Amino acid sequence: MQPYNLPIGNAADLCLQPGNHQVKKEKRTQRGFYRFPFAAVIGQEKVKKALLLNLINPQIGGVLLAGEKGTAKSTLVRSLNQVANGMAVVELPLNATEDRVIGSIDIEKTISVGKRSFESGILKKADGNILYIDEVNLLSEHIVNSILEVAASGVNHIEREGIACEHASRFVLIGTMNPEEGFLRSQFLDRFGIYVEVGGSKNLAERKEVIKRRLAFESSPAAFVKKWETEATELRDQVIEAQRKLPLIKISESILKLTADIVNEANCAGNRAELVMIQTAKALAALDNRKNINIDDIKEAAEFALPHRKREKPDEPEPQEEQQEQEQQDSEAEEETEANPDENPPEEEPDDPDNNSEEESEKQEEDQPDTPEADPPDSDESDDDEAREPEPEFSEILDQIDEIGRSFIVRNLNIKAIDRKKRKGEGKRIKTKTDTKQGQYIKSAMSKNKITDLAFDATLRAAAPFQSVREKNGLALVIKSEDIREKVREKRTGSTIVFVVDASGSMGAKKRMETVKGAVVSLLTDAYQKRDRVGLISFRKNEAEVLLNITRSIDLAQKCLRDLPTGGKTPLAAGLIKGYEVIKNEQRKHEDLLPILVLVSDGRTNTAITDNDPFSEAKEIGKKISFEGIQTIVVDTEVDFIKLGLAKELASCMNARYYRIEDLEADVLADAVRDLSNHSLF
């Protein structure tokens, strides 16, 4: 097997051919790096099959390998050309600039000829091959947008620096990622045809064999690669034979119906899931040397194609609520029919109005979270008020301190900078442009100010076409002021998160506050890892209180949360106003602040600052917060069987990201895989 002459490599899957390090330079260049053999990787059979399926049928659309570090994800992909039939692995580095990916002007040719000449980029090299992106979830946003456009059309259009051209760019997209470092946005995630969750082997015998093979490879790379040449050849021949079988695969009507039923049950958006499943099933049948797709092929294809597309079906409380209301009306109608009309039972109940009024006045004097009922139970307005306000038993809950519930790893909240400000802060939360020299160089631009970060490559490209008409005066290259370009850099920075937590009496029922505290602690831990600054506000009784001013101390925030009591009314509007005031005061101190307000509540409220309806007042304040450009996240804590959706309605008014409290956990893809294996249709 020929060694792969590569200038760089990952120590995990590359090994330098042993030899005398004192040899001459020309002999040293003949030594190469050896990739760890694809066939020698043990314990990742599902990953291997997913990669082979894409070699057999590139129309599947690639694969995303997501899993913990050290599970041979990159090793398998980089050694894929050992078993591929003429397809090469083209790797896209994370630090690649836009010019390097898309293509740009050929400086050398342009200077010598005097005409603009195009130099192709990575997308051109990837045409007809495999485009591999390691740590794809960390890729810059502008690079992601470019790849999405080309992946959708199969053509790379270039309009830049006076160049207008296009070229074909059809490739199999393969990405690897560690979910602990963040997730992909849904548009990019859907571009991967299939998804595989990668985990380390739990079998002790396999782990022992992994160590043996790794040590053998490091000891003698050439001998180890030669040992596995036969297996690599067999796999390559199997792929070639499956590629011949692929056009002969037949798809029956029953297979199409079963595929559509499974995708419909999984509640996938669009029709890409069905197409990927069929293409995957064809590759599975071809790999098994068959001409027909069977049910097992469709089941296995679903395990590959649906985990990252499966969505939870939306809750449908309205029909249940309407059914209950209809049943209640029917029962009331039956009672009225059976009763004697002359007796009029509803008017016989209030025999002792004085005692009732005294009891109600005594209850109103107490500090309770709920307002008493004012209308008869059969009134439509009474039903709405009872639904919007907490149940009567909540009003009996006095101040109490709940324990902090279970914490978890928080999913990627996908927060982005919504303005074009350049920031200097440090952190890991949000990618933003910066005017420092610390960030990643992503592209170049002209600048009206003094240049402090010269983009040398872009400046040469801008000056190159004019060298033939400029007076050299003994210079090799003439650069004018209009040619000067500066670097545009991008870096990650932290944000300022203000948590506004509902601590009213309604949160004390059914251990709801215990769950809320666990979720907030999880969010605080995530903020600490992203180097955010945090503040904590609670609202209950008749006011909102700042428990903790803006700080980097997550320990203080957790202590305040641990001692937070629950009880009293629900002044939602007061909580929103207090959060807004804290953020505005902080913005006066720090102009480049990235503020985020996180509201943790079920959206119910019964106390207003003015004489207006409490919920309408809260919505108006939410609109004001949105108008000020403050990013908002609403975490809905509603867990009742019949959900009113008040928090979701409030999130819509605030243009906020909406999450149910159970949706904050990060292992949603892993859950989808486990759910899929137990799919009812299987």
Side-chain angles (χ1 to χ4, degrees):
M1 188 177 207
Q2 294 296 324
Y4 296 93
N5 280 319
L6 299 173
I8 57 173
N10 190 323
D13 59 353
L14 289 176
C15 199
L16 188 65
Q17 183 181 4
N20 184 3
H21 291 276
Q22 303 300 324
V23 294
K24 294 182 179 180
K25 182 178 180 180
E26 56 271 16
K27 291 185 178 180
R28 188 183 300 122
T29 57
Q30 296 176 4
R31 293 164 35 230
F33 290 110
Y34 284 98
R35 296 282 187 193
F36 191 90
F38 181 89
V41 177
I42 189 172
Q44 299 295 354
E45 300 307 316
K46 188 173 182 179
V47 179
K48 287 183 180 180
K49 178 175 278 191
L51 294 171
L52 292 176
L53 292 176
N54 275 277
L55 294 180
I56 295 169
N57 187 5
Q59 292 186 15
I60 291 174
V63 57
L64 174 64
L65 307 177
E68 55 194 15
K69 53 185 176 293
T71 51
K73 301 186 297 293
S74 301
T75 300
L76 282 169
V77 178
R78 289 184 175 124
S79 60
L80 193 58
N81 52 2
Q82 297 173 7
V83 297
N85 181 24
M87 296 179 72
V89 178
V90 179
E91 188 165 354
L92 192 152
L94 282 179
N95 59 350
T97 62
E98 191 176 38
D99 300 324
R100 185 73 185 92
V101 176
I102 299 173
S104 184
I105 192 170
D106 187 332
I107 298 177
E108 183 178 355
K109 191 172 182 180
T110 302
I111 291 176
S112 59
V113 177
K115 294 183 179 180
R116 292 182 178 89
S117 178
F118 177 70
E119 181 180 13
S120 59
I122 293 176
L123 291 179
K124 174 64 176 177
K125 296 179 181 178
D127 184 33
N129 294 305
I130 299 168
L131 180 62
Y132 171 49
I133 310 174
D134 191 17
E135 305 295 346
V136 62
N137 51 326
L138 303 181
L139 198 63
S140 299
E141 187 76 12
H142 67 288
I143 300 295
V144 169
N145 294 333
S146 301
I147 294 175
L148 285 178
E149 181 180 353
V150 175
S153 64
V155 178
N156 182 23
H157 298 274
I158 302 98
E159 294 281 350
R160 57 187 306 146
E161 296 171 336
I163 295 177
C165 65
E166 64 180 36
H167 62 78
S169 183
R170 297 187 179 275
F171 47 81
V172 175
L173 185 61
I174 297 182
T176 56
M177 60 175 280
N178 184 352
E180 295 177 358
E181 298 172 343
F183 287 91
L184 290 173
R185 66 181 189 179
S186 58
Q187 297 95 322
F188 199 18
L189 188 64
D190 190 54
R191 290 296 177 186
F192 290 96
I194 59 181
Y195 166 88
V196 179
E197 184 183 18
V198 189
S201 174
K202 305 299 181 183
N203 187 294
L204 292 180
E206 284 188 354
R207 297 178 74 92
K208 181 180 176 182
E209 184 63 22
V210 168
I211 299 173
K212 283 184 176 180
R213 294 186 184 184
R214 183 69 229 178
L215 292 176
F217 175 67
E218 292 176 353
S219 175
S220 179
F224 188 83
V225 169
K226 186 174 181 60
K227 176 182 176 182
W228 288 91
E229 269 190 359
T230 303
E231 286 78 359
T233 302
E234 290 176 356
L235 279 175
R236 186 165 54 251
D237 293 342
Q238 191 177 2
V239 169
I240 295 172
E241 182 62 26
Q243 288 173 339
R244 290 199 200 101
K245 290 279 186 183
L246 190 66
L248 306 177
I249 303 296
K250 298 179 180 179
I251 307 171
S252 65
E253 289 293 328
S254 59
I255 289 296
L256 292 176
K257 183 180 183 302
L258 176 62
T259 302
D261 287 341
I262 293 176
V263 173
N264 186 58
E265 186 68 22
N267 193 32
C268 299
N271 298 107
R272 184 173 280 121
E274 293 101 317
L275 298 174
V276 171
M277 277 183 61
I278 290 296
Q279 296 294 348
T280 305
K282 287 174 62 178
L284 286 167
L287 187 62
D288 200 29
N289 199 22
R290 288 182 282 106
K291 293 184 179 180
N292 294 299
I293 298 175
N294 58 34
I295 295 178
D296 290 335
D297 294 330
I298 294 297
K299 290 180 180 180
E300 189 172 0
E303 294 179 1
F304 283 118
L306 297 188
H308 58 308
R309 295 186 174 94
K310 181 180 178 184
R311 302 182 302 173
E312 291 185 7
K313 291 190 175 181
D315 297 330
E316 299 179 355
E318 295 180 0
Q320 297 176 356
E321 186 175 359
E322 292 176 0
Q323 183 178 359
Q324 291 179 357
E325 290 179 357
Q326 185 64 37
E327 292 176 355
Q328 183 179 359
Q329 292 175 3
D330 294 341
S331 63
E332 290 176 356
E334 292 177 0
E335 292 176 359
E336 290 177 0
T337 304
E338 295 175 357
N340 189 344
D342 297 333
E343 295 180 359
N344 196 4
E347 295 181 359
E348 293 178 358
E349 292 184 2
D351 292 332
D352 198 357
D354 295 334
N355 292 338
N356 289 341
S357 61
E358 289 177 3
E359 293 176 0
E360 290 178 1
S361 61
E362 289 175 1
K363 290 180 180 180
Q364 289 176 357
E365 293 176 358
E366 297 176 358
D367 188 12
Q368 300 173 349
D370 300 321
T371 56
E373 295 180 358
D375 298 324
D378 57 348
S379 171
D380 293 338
E381 295 181 0
S382 174
D383 291 341
D384 292 340
D385 292 340
E386 288 178 2
R388 179 162 291 188
E389 295 178 6
E391 290 88 1
E393 59 265 24
F394 293 166
S395 64
E396 300 176 1
I397 298 176
L398 301 178
D399 287 1
Q400 63 183 44
I401 297 179
D402 294 281
E403 296 293 330
I404 295 178
R406 182 183 67 89
S407 60
F408 48 81
I409 299 175
V410 177
R411 65 181 296 180
N412 181 22
L413 300 179
N414 199 23
I415 300 171
K416 302 176 184 177
I418 58 177
D419 54 35
R420 297 183 178 181
K421 289 183 179 179
K422 293 183 178 181
R423 294 176 169 87
K424 299 180 180 180
E426 296 292 337
K428 298 181 180 180
R429 172 73 65 181
I430 301 171
K431 280 187 176 180
T432 182
K433 291 181 180 178
T434 178
D435 53 5
T436 67
K437 297 182 180 181
Q438 298 176 345
Q440 178 186 347
Y441 171 33
I442 58 173
K443 60 182 181 179
S444 62
M446 298 182 68
S447 177
K448 297 179 181 179
N449 303 320
K450 182 179 179 181
I451 300 294
T452 58
D453 195 6
L454 178 66
F456 188 69
D457 56 339
T459 300
L460 287 181
R461 286 196 297 269
F466 308 103
Q467 296 305 303
S468 60
V469 297
R470 289 180 179 175
E471 294 184 6
K472 298 295 183 65
N473 296 327
L475 299 176
L477 189 69
V478 178
I479 298 177
K480 295 187 176 181
S481 58
E482 59 265 27
D483 303 328
I484 301 296
R485 301 291 187 272
E486 71 170 348
K487 292 181 178 178
V488 177
R489 295 183 181 270
E490 185 180 70
K491 64 177 295 187
R492 288 190 177 271
T493 184
S495 58
T496 299
I497 305 177
V498 176
F499 292 91
V500 181
V501 181
D502 185 352
S504 63
S506 63
M507 302 298 291
K510 302 177 184 178
K511 297 291 184 181
R512 190 184 300 183
M513 195 61 186
E514 183 176 318
T515 304
V516 168
K517 286 186 176 182
V520 176
V521 166
S522 303
L523 289 167
L524 288 170
T525 303
D526 180 67
Y528 172 75
Q529 294 171 348
K530 301 291 192 303
R531 299 180 186 175
D532 297 322
R533 299 192 305 155
V534 298
L536 186 60
I537 295 171
S538 72
F539 59 92
R540 66 191 194 99
K541 295 186 177 180
N542 294 314
E543 61 180 2
E545 179 184 5
V546 178
L547 301 180
L548 183 68
N549 282 313
I550 304 299
T551 179
R552 291 191 184 274
S553 176
I554 305 301
D555 292 336
L556 284 177
Q558 291 187 9
K559 184 178 183 303
C560 292
L561 192 68
R562 188 181 299 111
D563 299 335
L564 175 62
T566 304
K569 297 181 181 180
T570 313
L572 176 58
L576 292 174
I577 288 179
K578 185 64 70 174
Y580 171 77
E581 291 174 349
V582 169
I583 287 175
K584 295 302 290 184
N585 290 335
E586 198 66 19
Q587 281 182 324
R588 295 187 187 99
K589 302 175 185 176
H590 306 281
E591 293 183 356
D592 60 349
L593 186 74
L594 275 170
I596 301 168
L597 188 147
V598 178
L599 173 64
V600 185
S601 173
D602 57 7
R604 300 181 181 184
T605 177
N606 51 24
T607 301
I609 300 174
T610 62
D611 295 333
N612 298 328
D613 174 67
F615 188 68
S616 298
E617 184 182 64
K619 290 197 295 183
E620 288 300 320
I621 297 171
K623 291 178 182 177
K624 180 180 179 181
I625 292 174
S626 174
F627 181 77
E628 291 287 336
I630 299 173
Q631 294 190 67
T632 312
I633 296 173
V634 174
V635 179
D636 190 355
T637 63
E638 189 174 34
V639 293
D640 299 328
F641 178 75
I642 298 178
K643 294 181 172 59
L644 303 178
L646 298 179
K648 192 170 186 178
E649 183 180 346
L650 181 61
S652 178
C653 291
M654 302 174 70
N655 293 322
R657 296 184 184 275
Y658 171 82
Y659 298 96
R660 294 179 302 175
I661 195 167
E662 59 267 26
D663 293 338
L664 291 176
E665 292 199 50
D667 54 348
V668 286
L669 286 180
D671 290 342
V673 175
R674 287 190 287 270
D675 293 343
L676 197 59
S677 63
N678 299 321
H679 202 283
S680 59
L681 292 175
F682 293 173

